[in-house]
């Protein structure tokens, strides 16, 4: 499969799953636009590194996915977005009655509303060019819930609904919209939850990983960023042209339980 000549915009891609997806799409030949809210030398260096390794055009665009105007500016800056990967996301854990309002607002803005803004900005160009792929990185928490993750679970269920709606609106065009629902993937987002969980349960790192994090993941293995990138690349292939409005779980069996 080649995605040569296509441009992929990946929100929140200076780390973790977004970076893994960017690398896999670049390996498949797509030009990639990386993004985060920071403006550091190392952000631009990541793009240069992808370009050096794969030979595609890779750029980095600073834009804050908590802000509507930045979401739309990112798509403009890409100069044509054929593949849109809505991946930017944050997490916060607290009982619903103690959940800070600012954290709720930030999670809904970054994990859900940003996908509305980028999709709205990208669809007209996809229609003009007659091809497009919208791939939303949801979560097993887009299909099931866990306690203390009210904002995250609400945002992830919301992005699954947005995915279905965009798929119906584009169903008769060569544009598809799907959500990938990962289980646990060992990225900085997950790594940052380990110390608190170790304290909370008075457990070693290994026990937190095995008995808390991977408790609901029957494979007892983390999914990898490469596997998620490969799934995104598959959704961009001709074989996936009739796959739209659905979710693909990459969760080691979590949602089969
Ligand atoms: P991560 O922390 O490594 O990456 C998150 C990315 O989002 C980073 O690049 C960060 O810079 C970016 N980001 C955060 N706030 C932003 C903002 N305001 N503007 C632009 N970018 C912003 O985490 P990850 O695990 O790679 O998560 C990526 C996505 O995958 C998230 O949507 C997350 O919910 C989802 N996910 C992760 C897991 C997992 O186990 N790691 C499981 C299911 C779903």
């Amino acid at each position: 499969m080649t995605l040569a000549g296509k441009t992929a915009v990946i929100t929140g891609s200076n780390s973790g799953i977004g970076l893994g997806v960017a690398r896999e799409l670049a390996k498949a030949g797509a030009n990639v636009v990386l993004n985060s809210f920071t403006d550091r030398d190392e952000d631009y260096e990541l793009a240069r590194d992808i370009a050096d390794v794969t030979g595609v055009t890779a750029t980095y665009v600073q834009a804050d996915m908590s802000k509507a105007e930045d979401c739309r500016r990112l798509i403009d800056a890409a100069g044509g977005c054929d593949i849109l990967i809505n991946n930017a996301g944050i997490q916060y854990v607290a009982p619903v009655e103690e959940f800070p309002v600012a954290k709720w607002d930030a999670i809904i803005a970054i994990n859900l509303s940003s996908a509305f803004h980028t999709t709205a900005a990208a669809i007209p160009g996809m229609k003009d060019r007659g091809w497009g792929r919208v791939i939303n990185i949801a979560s097993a928490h887009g299909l099931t819930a866990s306690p203390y993750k009210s904002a995250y679970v609400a945002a992830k269920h919301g992005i699954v609904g947005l995915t279905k709606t965009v798929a119906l609106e584009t169903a008769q065009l060569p544009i598809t919209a799907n959500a990938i629902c990962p289980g646990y993937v060992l990225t900085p987002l997950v790594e940052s939850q380990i110390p608190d969980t170790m304290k909370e349960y008075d457990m070693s790192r290994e026990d937190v990983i095995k008995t808390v994090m991977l408790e609901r993941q029957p494979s007892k293995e983390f999914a990898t960023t490469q596997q998620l990138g490969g799934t995104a690349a598959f959704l961009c292939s001709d074989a996936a042209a009739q796959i739209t409005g659905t979710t693909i779980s990459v969760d080691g069996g979590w949602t089969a339980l």
Side-chain angles (χ1 to χ4, degrees):
M1 174 191 43
T2 179
L3 296 175
K6 307 289 190 207
T7 296
V9 177
I10 306 102
T11 72
S13 46
N14 64 352
S15 157
I17 293 171
L19 183 56
V21 170
R23 288 196 168 121
E24 293 303 315
L25 294 181
K27 274 194 221 160
N31 298 321
V32 293
V33 179
L34 305 189
N35 154 262
S36 186
F37 59 92
T38 50
D39 191 22
R40 310 165 305 179
D41 288 347
E42 55 260 47
D43 296 323
Y44 298 88
E45 188 53 43
L46 285 172
R48 277 194 293 274
D49 180 54
I50 289 177
D52 287 350
V53 171
T54 62
V56 304
T57 301
T59 53
Y60 176 84
V61 175
Q62 183 282 333
D64 184 344
M65 293 300 104
S66 69
K67 299 190 173 122
E69 59 278 15
D70 275 29
C71 297
R72 289 167 188 264
R73 175 172 61 77
L74 170 63
I75 301 302
D76 281 350
C81 169
D82 305 299
I83 299 165
L84 172 62
I85 312 284
N86 286 306
N87 168 79
I90 58 169
Q91 174 64 287
Y92 190 82
V93 177
V96 68
E97 68 273 26
E98 292 164 24
F99 212 91
V101 172
K103 292 287 184 196
W104 172 276
D105 287 346
I107 289 176
I108 298 299
I110 296 166
N111 297 22
L112 175 58
S113 300
S114 70
F116 157 67
H117 296 298
T118 54
T119 303
I123 290 284
M126 291 179 181
K127 285 183 175 171
D128 287 349
R129 288 185 298 281
W131 193 90
R133 294 285 185 267
V134 179
I135 300 172
N136 294 323
I137 306 300
S139 169
H141 283 115
L143 304 169
T144 64
S146 295
Y148 313 125
K149 296 186 175 176
S150 54
Y152 188 83
V153 171
K156 294 299 185 182
H157 276 68
I159 205 168
V160 169
L162 174 68
T163 306
K164 291 178 185 174
T165 305
V166 172
L168 292 180
E169 291 182 18
T170 57
Q172 294 183 14
L173 301 169
I175 297 173
T176 66
N178 293 289
I180 297 176
C181 294
Y184 267 113
V185 188
L186 193 55
T187 64
L189 182 142
V190 166
E191 192 64 58
S192 69
Q193 296 172 38
I194 295 178
D196 280 352
T197 317
M198 285 170 65
K199 260 192 239 152
E200 192 184 337
Y201 294 101
D202 192 23
M203 274 181 181
S204 68
R205 179 184 161 82
E206 291 65 36
D207 284 346
V208 163
I209 289 175
K210 276 223 176 99
T211 59
V212 181
M213 294 191 151
L214 297 181
E215 195 238 329
R216 291 173 74 182
Q217 200 143 310
S219 65
K220 300 298 170 202
E221 280 183 34
F222 286 110
T224 68
T225 61
Q226 291 88 341
Q227 289 161 353
L228 292 161
T231 306
F234 165 69
L235 285 172
C236 294
S237 71
D238 289 342
Q242 283 299 314
I243 299 178
T244 196
T246 194
T247 56
I248 298 191
S249 292
V250 184
D251 66 2
W254 177 330
T255 45
L257 277 177

